[in-house]
Structures are given as C-alpha cells and as structure tokens.
Amino acid sequence: MPPPHALAHARKAYEGTTRTERAACGMGFVATTGPEATHDVVAMGVTALARLAHRGGLDADGKSGDGAGLMIQVPRGLFGANTAVAVLFEWDQRAREILAQALAAHGMGVADWRAVPVAPEELGEKARRDMPTIWHAVIPRPDAPDGEWEDRLYRARRQAERVAAAARVRLYIPSCSCRTLVYKGFMAGTHLAALRSTPSRATGPGCAPARPSCRPSCGP
C-alpha cells in the first residue's frame, strides 16, 4: 500500500482532468444460436431494455426519458425478402422527398412509405408535444451484393442528413439498412414496446441500448 503522501500527490495530479460530462448508458445483447429467427429473442430484448431503465434519465411524469431503443433484424414477415428499411422521423413534409432523392442518387428507390403505428399516450407530455411523424421507407434491393447494398444505404442516409441540414429541414434517420431496424424514442425503456406495435411481431436477434448515442433532439 503506498504511503499517504503518495496518495495525496496522485489525487492532486488528477485534479481538473476529469470530464465534467459522463455517459451512463446501459446496453444489452440477446441472440440465438439456432438458424431460425424467433420472436422470443425480441421479447427478451424488450424485457432487457425495461430492466435497463435505471441507466437512463427519467422525467417527473414517469414516462419521458432521455432515450431508449431496440435494434432488431429487419422483420421479413412484415417487409418481405430483398428489401431494406429506412426509419424516418419527420417534422417537415420535405423530409421524405430529401430521403427519396438521396436514395435515388445511389441507385435505389422507395417502393412504399409505411406510417408506423404508435400509441402517443405512452409518451410523457414533453416528448408528446414534439413528436414527429414516423415512417418506414421500404427500399427494394438494387442489383448489388449485400455488402455494397448496405454501403449504398449508409451513404444515402448521410447524404440525406447533409442536404436536410443545409436546407434547414428537420429530420432524423435512426436506421437505414438491409440488415437491421431501430425503434427508439424519448421515453423510459419500459414504455417502448407499448409505444410501437411492430416489435411484437418481429423476429431475430435484438440489441437494447438504454440510452442511444444517436437520437433526435426531441420527440420519440
């Protein structure tokens, strides 16, 4: 054990070097070793997310939080094979056109815009006041292998974000992928499943961040 004067010196040397802001995110991963996708894994992911609620901030209303989300495989039973899905939070009606144009610039199109069913009453008052319209853009597969397709989707998302920022169009794209789909919002993790109905029908591995590092400035 070092002498007391050594400890005092160590503490003194460390003063002022600690960051004033610290993240306290929690994250859980659930997967199956079998070849078949199963909803049981997603259900366990939802349960894990609820049990990580103590790692995120919670408003006095008991519902509004600083962000919770669930990442799952694209549910093929809902969207079909050979499709990617972009999740779009839309506060400005120009947002969909910006995303569609970015996808077109990378050789992809939008076959359908699916309005995501939600239950706003599951949100706290603060999040509900600024809640966006949430869309799933269903994107057919281009003539490209999986790796190139995923790369195109990423570049299209980044282009849409840059164009929107330059045009002062408020949007947020939680995910744009042929592999994974993200559900997230400004609520406690215990309320995510009730807000979004789709995860209850989804299958596949799940990842549950209690406080996602990338999220909109407000709204779910």
Side-chain angles (χ1 to χ4, degrees):
M1 180 175 179
H5 65 83
L7 291 176
H9 177 72
R11 285 196 295 270
K12 184 176 181 180
Y14 199 69
E15 288 179 1
T17 62
T18 305
R19 291 179 57 185
T20 56
E21 296 181 2
R22 298 182 179 87
C25 300
M27 182 173 289
F29 297 87
V30 181
T32 177
T33 58
E36 297 296 325
T38 169
H39 172 66
D40 291 343
V41 177
V42 177
M44 284 189 284
V46 170
T47 299
L49 179 62
R51 291 178 179 174
L52 286 169
H54 65 285
R55 298 301 301 270
L58 184 64
D59 191 76
D61 62 20
K63 292 184 177 181
S64 299
D66 61 352
L70 184 73
M71 177 187 287
I72 62 173
Q73 287 180 324
V74 173
R76 297 301 173 193
L78 180 64
F79 294 103
N82 293 316
T83 55
V85 181
V87 182
L88 174 66
F89 287 9
E90 178 191 71
W91 289 270
D92 186 310
Q93 292 185 353
R94 295 172 289 174
R96 274 177 287 168
E97 183 62 26
I98 288 174
L99 178 56
Q101 289 177 355
L103 289 165
H106 293 277
M108 296 172 288
V110 178
D112 190 24
W113 289 99
R114 174 181 181 265
V116 178
V118 295
E121 64 274 10
E122 294 297 329
L123 292 173
E125 181 182 352
K126 291 180 180 178
R128 193 165 56 245
R129 280 200 305 262
D130 201 33
M131 180 178 176
T133 302
I134 306 172
W135 297 95
H136 283 157
V138 183
I139 306 162
R141 183 189 189 106
D143 184 15
D146 285 354
E148 180 184 336
W149 186 15
E150 188 73 4
D151 182 64
R152 287 195 204 180
L153 290 162
Y154 172 77
R155 287 186 280 121
R157 176 175 69 84
R158 296 295 292 158
Q159 178 177 325
E161 291 168 345
R162 289 193 299 269
V163 170
R168 302 182 69 84
V169 172
R170 189 179 176 199
L171 61 75
Y172 177 67
I173 306 171
S175 63
C176 182
S177 174
C178 62
R179 299 169 180 165
T180 58
L181 180 66
V182 170
Y183 290 91
K184 66 195 303 185
F186 269 3
M187 82 289 286
T190 50
H191 290 274
L192 180 67
L195 175 69
R196 309 288 175 84
S197 61
T198 304
S200 65
R201 301 192 298 273
T203 60
C207 165
R211 191 169 70 188
S213 59
C214 299
R215 57 186 188 271
S217 57
C218 45

